[in-house]
Amino acid sequence: MKIKVWDGATRLYHWTQAGLFVALMASGKSGNGPHIELGIALLVLVFWRVIWGFVGSETSRFVTFVYSPTKTWHYVTGKMKAKLGHNPLGAWMVIALVASLLLQCLSGLALAGLLDGLPMSQVWLNDDVFVVVESMHLVLVNILPMLVALHLVAILVYKLRGKPLVKAMVTGFSTTNQSINQLDFSVPDNALPKAAQPQFASQAFAFLMLVAAALVTMAIIAFSV
């Protein structure tokens, strides 16, 4: 059965983030290009994803796909079925990537001097903290590619198992051989009552949340200069 899983906002975030990440790694390693500007753009996206994780579509909200370590282990050992969308292992990868990207962007702003003008920065961004922030930024430069590589390996494994995750993130639709009773939510059109389908937030609302994320980022920088 063919089922809608991802809304346009989530797919736009995913692919734009991937492009910005590649550009940031290239500009960071070479020392050329608009590295800071790209980092600011990525920070807007990450803020947007965090907001969307609380108020967005059902399959994009953290509360619907983040599981405890115990439940994640149950999934790994086959004792629990995955919902449509992110499975428990994929959920932890999402959290790891979003958290790492957020820390990398914020530490990059600090290293670029774009947080120096914030209130009490001389206290919470003193020389000792700055050294820690710098070290964190350099460490994440190595950790993030490993997380991305692990993510790509997982995608390949699922592809070999007949689950084309990339196609689903492009089209928004997934196919499943699960029976109706095995599905936690989301169904093909007209096959199940609307109550069983995942709830998708308005994409106009998603755009407003993107604007809000951009305004938050601009405010942080504006208050610092």
Side-chain angles (χ1 to χ4, degrees):
M1 60 178 69
K2 190 175 182 180
I3 303 168
K4 184 174 181 180
V5 178
W6 306 116
D7 60 23
T10 301
R11 287 179 282 138
L12 176 62
Y13 165 80
H14 182 276
W15 295 113
T16 307
Q17 172 197 269
L20 286 173
F21 178 77
V22 171
L24 278 161
M25 289 298 298
S27 61
K29 292 292 186 180
S30 67
N32 299 316
H35 190 72
I36 295 175
E37 291 79 1
L38 290 169
I40 292 172
L42 182 58
L43 182 59
V44 171
L45 276 183
V46 174
F47 278 152
W48 186 33
R49 183 62 184 93
V50 172
I51 294 171
W52 203 237
F54 290 100
V55 302
S57 300
E58 188 172 359
T59 50
S60 299
R61 292 199 299 265
F62 300 131
V63 70
T64 64
F65 65 77
V66 177
Y67 294 88
S68 67
T70 299
K71 288 187 176 181
T72 302
W73 178 248
H74 287 168
Y75 168 75
V76 172
T77 56
K79 297 178 181 178
M80 185 183 80
K81 296 291 184 181
K83 291 183 178 181
L84 290 172
H86 296 299
N87 63 51
L89 288 177
W92 284 109
M93 176 57 72
V94 170
I95 296 301
L97 282 170
V98 171
S100 297
L101 288 172
L102 180 60
L103 289 174
Q104 188 70 331
C105 289
L106 291 175
S107 62
L109 288 184
L111 295 179
L114 295 178
L115 301 182
D116 292 349
L118 292 179
M120 302 294 291
S121 62
Q122 69 276 12
V123 175
W124 55 266
L125 194 57
N126 56 43
D127 290 343
D128 292 334
V129 174
F130 189 87
V131 170
V132 173
V133 169
E134 183 178 31
S135 298
M136 179 176 65
H137 196 79
L138 294 175
V139 169
L140 286 172
V141 165
N142 296 316
I143 291 178
L144 278 165
M146 290 190 289
L147 289 176
V148 171
L150 183 60
H151 179 56
L152 294 176
V153 169
I155 288 174
L156 178 60
V157 170
Y158 277 99
K159 175 65 176 178
L160 295 175
R161 294 174 60 185
K163 298 180 179 179
L165 302 183
V166 173
K167 182 179 179 180
M169 191 56 72
V170 171
T171 65
F173 288 86
S174 180
T175 55
T176 177
N177 294 321
Q178 289 177 293
S179 68
I180 288 174
N181 290 332
Q182 289 177 306
L183 296 176
D184 290 283
F185 50 75
S186 194
V187 295
D189 293 341
N190 302 320
L192 287 178
K194 290 183 178 180
Q197 300 177 15
Q199 300 300 308
F200 290 97
S202 163
Q203 296 307 282
F205 179 63
F207 176 75
L208 289 177
M209 294 304 98
L210 175 57
V211 172
L215 290 175
V216 169
T217 305
M218 291 170 60
I220 291 174
I221 295 173
F223 280 120
S224 185
V225 296

